[in-house]
Amino acid sequence: MKTAPTQSQTEKLTNDPVGIRRAVELLKSGAQVAFPTETVYGLGADACNDTAIAGIYAAKGRPSFNPLIAHVADEAMARKLVDFTPGAGRLAAAFWPGALTMVLPLNPDAGVSKLVTAGMDTLAVRVPDHPLAHPLLRDFGGPVAAPSANPSGRISPTHSDHVMAGLDGKIAAVVLGGACGVGVESTIIGFDPDPVLLRAGGLPVEAIEACLGQPLRHIVNADMPTAPGQLSSHYAPRGDVRLNADAAQSGEVLLGFGYVDATLNLSPTGDLIEAAANLFEMLHQLDAMGADKIAISPIPNTGLGLAINDRLRRAAAPRP
Ligand code: TXA
Ligand code: MG
């Protein structure tokens, strides 16, 4: 009989069928495996195995009231876990696989661990669009719960190097999938029963509103129980953060946007998609540089700018 390996060493799994097979084997044994998605790297474990999910919380040092997203290979798998509203069906058809998470009524027979839902009667589900995540989820054959693969409260990982920097030795393995294309976490939509925005993310709100033909109510409130993950200080680099800065003051490093004289620039041409893809990578770079005072250029609040500004406000929020 195979036992879960001790986690003193984190295995680096290749981005090919051999690596995926090993990742699936480890997940089935109840271990925690980080894998790439198009948004950020997730720290995955079997969503139906309490001990495996407890291992995620332990590795991240995450508050246990914070529910997790269940990742599946396709819509058919998602429909076994949750009840779809008509609006959810339209969004799934339009945007899955992709950077969209939907919070829907949990099917009580789905067998999902209460540690995934934090005991709530809803479940967040997502079908990622990534050439490694897809075969991993398909071959695992059930839901994989996966928060972002970073220590709780730290910057989300958009490269396997970031995962190793934060979690090496604390998790069984990481799939080496290179950089994530989108670079910010998925957009989260809830239904009450009308669609509401719970977290701005990698799928622009404007695209969702166009698909539904109605505006979305925004419930993006820092510490509300509707989205318990939204702790106010989050995504934080080590240095202090000052937002909407036109220029660096003395002692500050400027993270720029658009045509400014900056140490690092999210997008010199002012492209929000490029800026989202660079955001966490550059915050990691500022940590690596030892920047202790970070000024950040203003970012327009449209398209992916909504998600970027949300993450930046959290990065600038008072630390606990
Ligand atoms: O792009 C992403 O969404 C990444 C990749 C790995 O898929 N995952 C991610 O997971 O960002 P995490 O755990 O860092 O954020 C999940 C968010 C949390 O804010 C959590 O509170 C919220 O989803 N959430 C999960 N289940 C929920 C539920 N039933 N009701 C409301 N919010 C929920
Ligand atoms: Mg996270």
Side-chain angles (χ1 to χ4, degrees):
M1 195 187 85
K2 286 216 173 77
T3 53
T6 58
Q7 299 194 352
S8 57
Q9 270 207 316
T10 297
E11 288 179 41
K12 294 181 177 175
L13 305 180
T14 46
N15 62 349
D16 58 18
V18 175
I20 296 301
R21 205 174 312 129
R22 178 67 180 147
V24 169
E25 181 181 67
L26 285 166
L27 288 170
K28 286 190 172 161
S29 79
Q32 295 75 41
V33 177
F35 64 96
T37 79
E38 78 278 36
T39 58
V40 300
Y41 275 70
L43 178 57
D46 181 352
C48 298
N49 177 336
D50 290 329
T51 318
I53 301 304
I56 290 181
Y57 286 106
K60 282 183 63 92
R62 183 174 200 163
S64 57
F65 50 81
N66 203 344
L68 307 177
I69 298 172
H71 296 71
V72 289
D74 53 37
E75 184 182 336
M77 273 173 81
R79 284 183 181 269
K80 292 183 186 158
L81 304 174
V82 289
D83 291 335
F84 269 54
T85 61
R90 296 230 299 281
L91 292 180
F95 300 118
W96 276 355
L100 170 71
T101 293
M102 293 194 285
V103 175
L104 290 162
L106 173 68
N107 170 359
D109 301 325
V112 172
S113 164
K114 282 200 166 37
L115 288 174
V116 172
T117 56
M120 297 192 296
D121 55 8
T122 54
L123 176 69
V125 287
R126 171 160 119 80
V127 178
D129 183 13
H130 191 279
L132 296 168
H134 180 76
L136 181 151
L137 294 168
R138 182 198 57 208
D139 295 353
F140 181 73
V144 172
S148 50
N150 51 286
S152 190
R154 308 299 309 175
I155 305 161
S156 291
T158 53
H159 194 284
S160 55
D161 292 346
H162 305 158
V163 177
M164 289 300 278
L167 297 176
D168 190 10
K170 296 188 170 156
I171 61 177
V174 56
V175 179
L176 302 178
C180 302
V182 174
V184 290
E185 298 87 345
S186 59
T187 302
I188 306 184
I189 301 293
F191 297 87
D192 74 349
D194 288 329
V196 293
L197 177 70
L198 298 178
R199 177 177 75 183
L203 178 65
V205 165
E206 293 88 338
I208 297 172
E209 291 179 331
C211 172
L212 293 171
Q214 69 183 101
L216 280 174
R217 209 150 47 77
H218 293 208
I219 312 187
V220 189
N221 187 340
D223 299 302
M224 290 306 290
T226 37
Q230 310 301 323
L231 302 173
S232 50
S233 171
H234 213 104
Y235 309 100
R238 290 178 209 285
D240 291 337
V241 174
R242 184 169 68 88
L243 301 180
N244 297 314
D246 291 324
Q249 294 170 355
S250 94
E252 283 182 340
V253 170
L254 182 67
L255 176 60
F257 177 83
Y259 186 68
V260 286
D261 183 13
T263 307
L264 293 175
N265 200 316
L266 290 167
S267 172
T269 60
D271 177 346
L272 289 166
I273 295 175
E274 181 186 18
N278 284 334
L279 177 67
F280 292 138
E281 165 62 28
M282 289 189 173
L283 292 177
H284 279 281
Q285 283 179 29
L286 290 166
D287 269 359
M289 288 163 52
D292 52 12
K293 284 190 165 45
I294 302 165
I296 306 183
S297 296
I299 313 282
N301 210 34
T302 57
L304 291 190
L306 218 61
I308 296 170
N309 282 318
D310 170 78
R311 306 306 184 269
L312 289 177
R313 275 194 302 276
R314 290 169 204 287
R319 312 285 161 83

PDB file of all heavy atoms in Angstrom, residues 7 21 96 100 140 226 240 309:
ATOM      1  N   GLN A   7       6.734  15.289   3.851  1.00  0.00           N
ATOM      2  CA  GLN A   7       6.770  16.512   3.064  1.00  0.00           C
ATOM      3  C   GLN A   7       7.999  17.344   3.376  1.00  0.00           C
ATOM      4  O   GLN A   7       7.996  18.557   3.242  1.00  0.00           O
ATOM      5  CB  GLN A   7       5.471  17.278   3.275  1.00  0.00           C
ATOM      6  CG  GLN A   7       4.297  16.429   2.822  1.00  0.00           C
ATOM      7  CD  GLN A   7       3.020  17.197   2.664  1.00  0.00           C
ATOM      8  OE1 GLN A   7       2.932  18.347   3.030  1.00  0.00           O
ATOM      9  NE2 GLN A   7       2.009  16.553   2.100  1.00  0.00           N
ATOM     10  N   ARG A  21       0.810  12.593 -14.192  1.00  0.00           N
ATOM     11  CA  ARG A  21       0.458  11.304 -13.586  1.00  0.00           C
ATOM     12  C   ARG A  21       0.886  11.281 -12.115  1.00  0.00           C
ATOM     13  O   ARG A  21       0.150  10.844 -11.241  1.00  0.00           O
ATOM     14  CB  ARG A  21       1.124  10.157 -14.356  1.00  0.00           C
ATOM     15  CG  ARG A  21       0.383   8.843 -14.211  1.00  0.00           C
ATOM     16  CD  ARG A  21       0.956   7.738 -15.101  1.00  0.00           C
ATOM     17  NE  ARG A  21       1.167   8.178 -16.466  1.00  0.00           N
ATOM     18  CZ  ARG A  21       2.318   8.022 -17.155  1.00  0.00           C
ATOM     19  NH1 ARG A  21       3.356   7.427 -16.612  1.00  0.00           N
ATOM     20  NH2 ARG A  21       2.407   8.440 -18.397  1.00  0.00           N
ATOM     21  N   TRP A  96     -16.431  29.343 -19.423  1.00  0.00           N
ATOM     22  CA  TRP A  96     -15.662  28.173 -18.990  1.00  0.00           C
ATOM     23  C   TRP A  96     -15.179  27.395 -20.191  1.00  0.00           C
ATOM     24  O   TRP A  96     -15.959  27.233 -21.132  1.00  0.00           O
ATOM     25  CB  TRP A  96     -16.510  27.262 -18.113  1.00  0.00           C
ATOM     26  CG  TRP A  96     -16.540  27.660 -16.675  1.00  0.00           C
ATOM     27  CD1 TRP A  96     -15.837  28.666 -16.069  1.00  0.00           C
ATOM     28  CD2 TRP A  96     -17.337  27.046 -15.641  1.00  0.00           C
ATOM     29  NE1 TRP A  96     -16.153  28.713 -14.730  1.00  0.00           N
ATOM     30  CE2 TRP A  96     -17.053  27.732 -14.444  1.00  0.00           C
ATOM     31  CE3 TRP A  96     -18.247  25.974 -15.623  1.00  0.00           C
ATOM     32  CZ2 TRP A  96     -17.659  27.389 -13.231  1.00  0.00           C
ATOM     33  CZ3 TRP A  96     -18.836  25.633 -14.427  1.00  0.00           C
ATOM     34  CH2 TRP A  96     -18.542  26.337 -13.238  1.00  0.00           C
ATOM     35  N   LEU A 100     -13.370  32.444 -14.310  1.00  0.00           N
ATOM     36  CA  LEU A 100     -14.656  32.708 -13.664  1.00  0.00           C
ATOM     37  C   LEU A 100     -14.923  31.640 -12.605  1.00  0.00           C
ATOM     38  O   LEU A 100     -14.870  30.443 -12.899  1.00  0.00           O
ATOM     39  CB  LEU A 100     -15.781  32.648 -14.701  1.00  0.00           C
ATOM     40  CG  LEU A 100     -17.202  32.663 -14.117  1.00  0.00           C
ATOM     41  CD1 LEU A 100     -17.546  34.035 -13.541  1.00  0.00           C
ATOM     42  CD2 LEU A 100     -18.232  32.256 -15.185  1.00  0.00           C
ATOM     43  N   PHE A 140      -7.747  13.148 -12.390  1.00  0.00           N
ATOM     44  CA  PHE A 140      -8.092  12.978 -10.971  1.00  0.00           C
ATOM     45  C   PHE A 140      -9.545  12.539 -10.863  1.00  0.00           C
ATOM     46  O   PHE A 140      -9.901  11.717 -10.026  1.00  0.00           O
ATOM     47  CB  PHE A 140      -7.840  14.267 -10.189  1.00  0.00           C
ATOM     48  CG  PHE A 140      -8.147  14.136  -8.729  1.00  0.00           C
ATOM     49  CD1 PHE A 140      -7.319  13.408  -7.891  1.00  0.00           C
ATOM     50  CD2 PHE A 140      -9.292  14.711  -8.192  1.00  0.00           C
ATOM     51  CE1 PHE A 140      -7.622  13.246  -6.550  1.00  0.00           C
ATOM     52  CE2 PHE A 140      -9.602  14.559  -6.852  1.00  0.00           C
ATOM     53  CZ  PHE A 140      -8.760  13.827  -6.020  1.00  0.00           C
ATOM     54  N   THR A 226     -20.260  37.036   3.330  1.00  0.00           N
ATOM     55  CA  THR A 226     -20.621  36.527   2.003  1.00  0.00           C
ATOM     56  C   THR A 226     -19.386  36.058   1.234  1.00  0.00           C
ATOM     57  O   THR A 226     -19.473  35.205   0.386  1.00  0.00           O
ATOM     58  CB  THR A 226     -21.312  37.615   1.154  1.00  0.00           C
ATOM     59  OG1 THR A 226     -20.696  38.857   1.449  1.00  0.00           O
ATOM     60  CG2 THR A 226     -22.788  37.664   1.414  1.00  0.00           C
ATOM     61  N   ASP A 240       5.861  48.891   2.885  1.00  0.00           N
ATOM     62  CA  ASP A 240       4.645  49.696   2.974  1.00  0.00           C
ATOM     63  C   ASP A 240       4.247  50.149   1.574  1.00  0.00           C
ATOM     64  O   ASP A 240       5.098  50.397   0.734  1.00  0.00           O
ATOM     65  CB  ASP A 240       4.897  50.943   3.832  1.00  0.00           C
ATOM     66  CG  ASP A 240       5.102  50.574   5.289  1.00  0.00           C
ATOM     67  OD1 ASP A 240       4.638  49.483   5.687  1.00  0.00           O
ATOM     68  OD2 ASP A 240       5.741  51.352   6.016  1.00  0.00           O
ATOM     69  N   ASN A 309      -6.865  47.116  -8.911  1.00  0.00           N
ATOM     70  CA  ASN A 309      -7.057  48.077  -7.810  1.00  0.00           C
ATOM     71  C   ASN A 309      -7.524  47.392  -6.536  1.00  0.00           C
ATOM     72  O   ASN A 309      -7.118  47.777  -5.439  1.00  0.00           O
ATOM     73  CB  ASN A 309      -8.045  49.170  -8.232  1.00  0.00           C
ATOM     74  CG  ASN A 309      -7.377  50.200  -9.131  1.00  0.00           C
ATOM     75  OD1 ASN A 309      -6.239  50.607  -8.876  1.00  0.00           O
ATOM     76  ND2 ASN A 309      -8.063  50.612 -10.183  1.00  0.00           N
TER      77      ASN A 309
END
